[in-house]
Amino acid sequence: MRDLLRDGTRAEHERLDSGLDLTAPGMTAGRYRCVLERFHGFWAGWEPRVAAELGDEGLLAPRRRLHLLRDDLRALGAEPEGLPACPPPPIHGRAEAMGSLYVMEGSTLGGRVILKRLDGLGLPPGSCRYFAGYGEGTGAMWTLFLQRLEAEEDAAAVIRGARATFATLGDWMLGAA
């Protein structure tokens, strides 16, 4: 399943990564705040939608990260409550929700790389929790997720959910970049 997803979403993933380019030199504290605001807007729409479609709070609860974005933004002096929310991706059913979750769980791996690039920006304490993912537990959380993902039988639906999520996230993030 993981290989199918990687191959089936390669174009969408590359579009998002190259468009955001969060590991390139030139990141500033101001741009970082804007990026977090946009991620917050995405998660504000996405998290309740995927929860409703997934129907598995035991799986989702430790993977919720909207609160981390809120905390990061507050540490940067922003008020996240007034930020716009992105309409959620069109995901329907458990398999598509698992594909969607694949995208956001995979972002925790990239977040660890981005976190290293943020070191020299002089950001206030407590403003990088979102990109820290699960800290030292990120690899283990990814492995546990992949085990659950492999149990999904409808590969086409999983890929649809992942592609819809990449597309919505890319449109939302890059439309403001």
Side-chain angles (χ1 to χ4, degrees):
M1 183 71 74
R2 180 181 180 186
D3 292 338
L4 289 172
L5 275 163
R6 192 174 324 142
D7 293 342
T9 61
R10 187 175 317 279
E12 293 87 351
H13 191 181
E14 288 175 1
R15 172 185 174 240
L16 183 60
D17 278 352
S18 65
L20 286 177
D21 203 15
L22 296 177
T23 58
M27 176 64 83
T28 64
R31 180 163 186 261
Y32 174 67
R33 179 178 162 166
C34 289
V35 166
L36 287 184
E37 287 173 347
R38 295 303 285 181
F39 271 120
H40 178 276
F42 179 82
W43 278 81
W46 177 83
E47 199 169 82
R49 176 61 182 254
V50 81
E53 295 297 328
L54 189 62
D56 187 345
E57 191 60 22
L59 176 63
L60 187 61
R63 291 168 168 80
R64 289 181 181 272
R65 295 189 336 206
L66 179 59
H67 69 284
L68 299 176
L69 285 159
R70 288 182 179 142
D71 291 347
D72 286 354
L73 286 165
R74 286 186 187 110
L76 293 167
E79 289 299 324
E81 289 74 17
L83 294 173
C86 175
I91 52 174
H92 306 285
R94 179 182 172 76
E96 288 187 13
M98 286 296 286
S100 187
L101 191 54
Y102 163 82
V103 173
M104 303 316 290
E105 280 298 284
S107 74
T108 63
L109 303 175
R112 304 287 291 161
V113 174
I114 294 164
L115 186 63
K116 292 175 185 173
R117 300 289 293 172
L118 299 175
D119 281 345
L121 295 183
L123 297 169
S127 63
C128 298
R129 293 182 59 216
Y130 173 73
F131 284 115
Y134 310 114
E136 295 301 317
T138 299
M141 288 290 284
W142 177 243
T143 299
L144 289 171
F145 172 72
L146 289 177
Q147 289 170 355
R148 293 287 297 271
L149 182 66
E150 290 298 328
E152 289 299 320
E153 295 178 6
D154 189 349
V158 173
I159 293 169
R160 268 194 317 273
R163 292 188 76 198
T165 301
F166 268 125
T168 301
L169 180 59
D171 290 349
W172 178 255
M173 295 300 293
L174 301 177

